[in-house]
Amino acid sequence: MSDAAQPTAAEVRASVEALKSALDRHLAAIERRADGAGAADADADAEVYSAFNELAAAGEAYDSLLYDAYDEVTPFEVPGGESRPVYLGPDEPAALSVYMRRDYTVSDPLRLLAQAQRITDLDPDAVDPSQGDAETAGSSVHAALGVLFGEFEPDEIATRHREFGLEEGDSTVWVLADEEPAEPGEWLDAPFDTADPERVVCRYDISSVFDEDEEEEGLAREEDEDGAALSTR
């Protein structure tokens, strides 16, 4: 514990009572949405989202006070508020946009070239004729990638990436709400410029850094149990 003024027992108790109330509100919002008839209601979704943020804030406040007062922590991982802006989109969205990014590294260029050549051997039309004879599928990684992503859907490439000589990196999917659908062709020149984090209804992130964090936390717990080290915050 630091030398700064420590929270009182009453402050810690008030914080845990606020956390209990936030838990109740979160569950009640979920139950109200589940009891609703028909399709998901936008107001109910917004209520659950708001209750989730309140719960996260209450949990973080209690965890901080508990540590400052007693040098103890909760077993819960509270989502950080800094990386997830508060939702400011429409309460009743009339349209949705899904933004997706998946990163890969070319881990085996020879395998990639061979797979692209195999595709074009089976289907000569898979090669873009505008590339010319010098840019055949098996002659460059650039051409091979064009064949691969022209032949397969992104989801199939994601499940078969090793087969194509690729290695997965980070990936994310953002679902954004809007008040009205875009006009045909309106955003094609700059498709990602309108990805406003404050209109994100939900998002899904995948990264090896999450696995590394879990491994580090597990190692820290093992060291604490063995008495070899103390956890820090």
Side-chain angles (χ1 to χ4, degrees), residues 4-53:
Q6 303 301 313
T8 65
E11 289 175 325
V12 178
R13 173 58 58 183
S15 179
V16 77
E17 292 300 329
L19 176 57
K20 292 177 184 178
S21 296
L23 281 165
D24 288 337
R25 289 194 299 272
H26 184 242
L27 178 58
I30 292 172
E31 289 175 336
R32 280 192 293 272
R33 183 175 64 177
D35 291 340
D41 180 71
D43 290 337
D45 288 342
E47 185 181 7
V48 170
Y49 186 84
S50 176
F52 172 87
N53 286 333

Side-chain angles (χ1 to χ4, degrees), residues 67-90:
Y67 180 78
D68 290 341
Y70 300 109
D71 203 20
E72 293 290 344
V73 296
T74 65
F76 312 116
E77 181 178 355
V78 180
E82 296 180 0
S83 61
R84 303 294 173 88
V86 175
Y87 176 74
L88 298 178

Side-chain angles (χ1 to χ4, degrees), residues 90-102:
D91 292 334
E92 298 185 8
L96 294 174
S97 294
V98 179
Y99 296 81
M100 181 180 69
R101 172 172 173 170
R102 289 181 177 141

Side-chain angles (χ1 to χ4, degrees), residues 87 93-99 174-182 199 201:
Y87 176 74
L96 294 174
S97 294
V98 179
Y99 296 81
W174 292 16
V175 181
L176 272 67
D178 213 337
E179 295 179 353
E180 57 184 24
R199 290 192 293 112
V201 177

Side-chain angles (χ1 to χ4, degrees), residues 126-140:
V127 178
D128 184 352
S130 65
Q131 293 178 340
D133 295 337
E135 197 74 343
T136 59
S139 66
S140 75

